[in-house]
Amino acid sequence: MSLDLLQAQIRTLKCPFSLLLCPETVCKLPDLQDLEYNFKKAISAAEGILPAVTIKTAAFLAFGSPGAQALSLIINEAKSAGLYVISDAGLNEIGGTAELAARAYLGEGAYCSDAVTVDAYLGSEVFYPLLEKCENFDRGIIVLARRDNRSAGEVMDLISGDRFVYKAVAELAARNGRKLIAKCGYSRVMVSVGMKHMSDLRMMRKRMENTFFYVTAGVSRQSPCDLAPAFDRYGHGAIIEIMCRTDKNYELKAELVRLSDEFKQVIQIL
């Protein structure tokens, strides 16, 4: 699915959420069978309600060859459900290894996704093979710029010249994405920003008009009003990561409907 189709799906559903599939949502340290069962259940619950899912790839790859096969199956199942599939892999390779990673996640490889997360702290060289695949296969990348984890500020809040390092990374992503603007007006080189930093996002939204934002952070614990800075005046240009329990004793579909309805009452997507 292209970024244009993702934005169209967000408009149709009036919902900009991506459900995060990670071990924490199973509420225990899971085995591979737990992951497969609960993630398939989550995909089924999200179908027709949310436009996207985000998959923590390390959760599967930690199980070796069987996990790698399961990851490929889960990605394909999410695609079959009509969801935009984001692989949260944090790619940060250069050279020949980067070419292989780009092929695996954005080309026609085993983990072929609609978008993949990228750690840009090795500079533009990380982007080059990924950008080629984005152009050739109509994929996207999500550059990790401003994160919410406790120690993120140790690096991201350092001053580089007259700006913070995270701003330098976001601007680097925007520059590299200028040639990959989709028909919806946003670049396929997206930027990830943490929910705790809405004031920073408000500033970036004004300065980076063609940047599509991926906002991380458990919206189930936040008011939808807090999400407004991520969007343009039409309610376009962002997707919000949410994390909900996916274990078998939890009514996930009902929770997704509740969150979607709550969002629609506050923010209008035209």
Side-chain angles (χ1 to χ4, degrees), residues 151-170:
S151 62
E154 294 174 1
V155 174
M156 296 180 181
D157 288 346
L158 295 176
I159 300 295
S160 174
D162 60 350
R163 58 188 173 170
F164 291 108
V165 166
Y166 77 85
K167 290 184 180 179
V169 172

Side-chain angles (χ1 to χ4, degrees), residues 74-148:
I74 288 293
I75 288 172
N76 288 326
E77 184 147 340
K79 287 182 178 179
S80 296
L83 295 163
Y84 186 86
V85 181
I86 300 164
S87 283
D88 190 357
L91 300 183
N92 63 347
E93 304 290 350
I94 59 175
T97 310
E99 293 280 354
L100 293 172
R103 185 190 308 170
Y105 285 99
L106 297 178
E108 297 176 322
Y111 315 129
C112 178
S113 309
D114 298 307
V116 66
T117 58
V118 179
D119 179 352
Y121 282 83
L122 289 181
S124 294
E125 289 173 84
V126 173
F127 293 140
Y128 299 150
L130 299 169
L131 296 178
E132 182 182 355
K133 293 294 186 291
C134 286
E135 185 170 11
N136 293 341
F137 295 95
D138 205 5
R139 314 286 193 215
I141 62 173
I142 300 171
V143 179
L144 307 176
R146 184 68 154 137
R147 305 294 281 178
D148 277 340

Side-chain angles (χ1 to χ4, degrees), residues 193-238:
V193 180
M195 182 76 181
K196 294 179 182 177
H197 306 287
M198 281 293 120
S199 59
D200 298 329
L201 184 53
R202 182 178 288 105
M203 174 272 298
M204 285 191 276
R205 176 80 284 162
K206 291 180 180 179
R207 296 185 59 181
M208 301 162 66
E209 294 181 354
N210 298 117
T211 298
F212 196 95
F213 289 108
Y214 181 92
V215 182
T216 62
V219 76
S220 57
R221 297 187 296 274
Q222 302 284 342
S223 166
C225 296
D226 297 332
L227 300 170
F231 301 93
D232 65 18
R233 58 182 174 172
Y234 302 109
H236 300 176

Side-chain angles (χ1 to χ4, degrees), residues 166-186:
Y166 77 85
K167 290 184 180 179
V169 172
E171 290 169 8
L172 180 67
R175 286 198 302 274
N176 278 276
R178 286 173 184 163
K179 295 182 180 180
L180 289 172
I181 304 294
K183 292 179 181 178
C184 64
Y186 288 100

Side-chain angles (χ1 to χ4, degrees), residues 47-75:
E47 184 176 359
I49 299 172
L50 306 188
V53 292
T54 301
I55 303 170
K56 287 281 189 182
T57 60
F60 287 96
L61 299 181
F63 292 100
S65 178
Q69 292 177 348
L71 174 59
S72 181
L73 289 172
I74 288 293
I75 288 172

